[in-house]
Amino acid sequence: MVMMGRTAEALFWIGRYAERTENHARLIDVYYHIREEKESGGQSWSRLIDTIGDRTVFAEQYGSFTEQHVLQYITLDKNNSNSLLACTNHARTNLRNIREKMPGELWDILNGLYLWLKEKEVRDITTDSPHLFFRFIRDSLSMFQGAATSVMPRENEWFFVETGRYLERAENLLRLLQSLCNDYAREELCSYPLMLSVLKSVSGYEAFRRQYADTVSLGHIVKFLMLSESFPRSVSYSFSALESSLRSIEEDEPDLNEAVQKLAKLAGKVKANLACMDDDDILSGKLEMTLHALLESCSHMGLRMSKIFFPSREEVSA
């Protein structure tokens, strides 16, 4: 089954951008509601910009870390490639380009979300219920994923979307953990609510509590989010699903098929290295290097996907 480069690219980025939108909506929602529990609003907002934005670009455009400015930048700014509006639009544009190859309900859900979001202003978020605003975005993306899971044949199209989704999921979580560890090293992140916010931002609080009860520590959080083989948003689970999706892609061209299987082996190697981690690796100074190396692996795999399937790619991703 031969997958044309432009189609493969669109499918891959539909998965990535849909996942990125949902992840960022979760993170913004959680940070919005814990911002006053320990620290000043400005400090909390600046941390959020560091996690999912670009501090330099933000400062040049907006100046101060106010609630209005930060929400505009990370939610509705069409010039910020990581804003919720921009990510939704990127996923929608890629889906529109291959509508004839995808179930119609996927277009209806994603297009509806984009049109709803495009008409919003910051005051619509702050005046009504910010939680309901971001929950609607999360629920829409969950509906999108549910529809895809229910109706898409398990053929190359599905596996390309899944490859993009799980690569994006792993990278997002690694950046979140990196931010957490940096804050901890600066002795800024020492409150119970803020540590719980990391778990809640990936909807992992209940699953974590079942395993660790009330024992909340940096080591336990990192261990759970890095190594859990049952929690679907952990780094380990994401690389397992990424490897499985890559191995399921079938190409008639031998060289292309071999390149895909090599990429699957790389994902498997990362997963195996994760399985070898112990408490000493997590609690020692090695953790920062480990997170950096894993992010490098994600970047490398993304570049390899580009070279294998869409070498003439014109769109520059964020």
Side-chain angles (χ1 to χ4, degrees):
M1 182 185 299
V2 178
M3 179 70 67
M4 298 300 293
R6 192 168 294 275
T7 300
E9 175 185 8
L11 291 162
F12 177 76
W13 284 102
I14 288 169
R16 290 208 70 160
Y17 280 123
E19 181 68 21
R20 189 177 302 180
T21 306
E22 183 181 355
N23 286 339
H24 288 183
R26 290 173 183 273
L27 187 62
I28 297 167
D29 186 27
V30 170
Y31 265 73
Y32 189 95
H33 288 88
I34 57 92
R35 71 194 188 285
E36 294 179 348
E37 295 196 25
K38 174 180 182 293
E39 56 197 309
S40 64
Q43 187 176 356
S44 182
W45 289 128
S46 65
R47 176 179 288 118
L48 189 56
I49 292 294
D50 288 337
T51 303
I52 62 174
D54 187 311
R55 179 184 282 252
T56 302
V57 173
F58 174 85
E60 290 176 354
Q61 186 173 351
Y62 293 96
S64 59
F65 290 94
T66 66
E67 176 182 344
Q68 297 286 321
H69 288 167
V70 172
L71 286 178
Q72 175 67 33
Y73 177 70
I74 61 181
T75 304
L76 302 173
D77 190 337
K78 63 182 180 181
N79 295 318
N80 171 20
S81 60
N82 275 325
S83 74
L84 300 184
L85 177 63
C87 288
T88 303
N89 187 39
H90 290 321
R92 171 182 176 270
T93 300
N94 280 297
L95 182 56
R96 182 182 59 198
N97 291 338
I98 56 169
R99 280 185 67 180
E100 72 283 356
K101 300 180 183 296
M102 300 289 279
E105 49 260 62
L106 298 185
W107 168 257
D108 293 338
I109 295 169
L110 203 55
N111 186 52
L113 174 60
Y114 170 73
L115 294 176
W116 176 82
L117 197 54
K118 187 177 72 167
E119 298 301 319
K120 297 298 180 181
E121 298 181 5
V122 171
R123 65 171 177 265
D124 297 321
I125 305 175
T126 57
T127 301
D128 298 324
S129 170
H131 176 68
L132 291 179
F133 178 89
F134 293 113
R135 181 173 180 176
F136 180 82
I137 297 172
R138 287 164 34 214
D139 289 350
S140 296
L141 271 301
S142 294
M143 189 186 306
F144 178 84
Q145 177 58 31
T149 301
S150 298
V151 301
M152 283 188 70
R154 284 354 185 217
E155 297 175 350
N156 277 0
E157 288 83 357
W158 165 260
F159 296 120
F160 272 105
V161 173
E162 288 290 274
T163 296
R165 182 162 73 98
Y166 280 106
L167 182 60
E168 182 70 28
R169 181 172 295 185
E171 188 170 318
N172 271 277
L173 182 52
L174 288 166
R175 293 189 186 282
L176 181 59
L177 288 172
Q178 196 173 55
S179 175
L180 170 67
C181 294
N182 288 339
D183 287 338
Y184 190 86
R186 294 195 300 265
E187 298 183 353
E188 293 178 5
L189 193 65
C190 53
S191 76
Y192 184 78
L194 280 172
M195 286 210 288
L196 288 188
S197 73
V198 175
L199 294 169
K200 291 180 178 179
S201 68
V202 294
S203 297
Y205 175 69
E206 289 83 3
F208 177 87
R209 286 287 300 272
R210 284 196 293 271
Q211 185 169 343
Y212 291 100
D214 293 325
T215 307
V216 178
S217 67
L218 176 68
H220 286 157
I221 290 174
V222 172
K223 187 174 182 179
F224 175 75
L225 294 180
M226 287 277 285
L227 305 180
S228 175
E229 295 185 357
S230 59
F231 180 58
R233 291 188 174 275
S234 76
V235 177
S236 179
Y237 190 101
S238 296
F239 272 100
S240 292
L242 178 59
E243 179 188 11
S244 176
S245 297
L246 287 166
R247 291 195 184 282
S248 299
I249 295 173
E250 297 180 355
E251 295 290 349
D252 294 334
E253 185 178 330
D255 290 344
L256 193 58
N257 199 58
E258 182 181 358
V260 176
Q261 296 310 309
K262 285 183 178 179
L263 200 55
K265 288 181 181 179
L266 177 58
K269 182 179 179 180
V270 173
K271 171 64 172 60
N273 289 338
L274 280 169
C276 295
M277 290 184 65
D278 54 25
D279 291 343
D280 181 62
D281 294 320
I282 292 174
L283 298 174
S284 70
K286 300 176 185 177
L287 180 57
E288 183 178 349
M289 293 185 294
T290 299
L291 292 173
H292 179 75
L294 287 168
L295 280 168
E296 288 288 318
S297 295
C298 288
S299 177
H300 177 64
M301 293 186 72
L303 291 173
R304 287 279 297 275
M305 284 290 293
S306 296
K307 291 179 180 179
I308 294 170
F309 289 105
F310 21 93
S312 60
R313 178 168 166 250
E314 297 176 358
E315 179 186 8
V316 178
S317 66

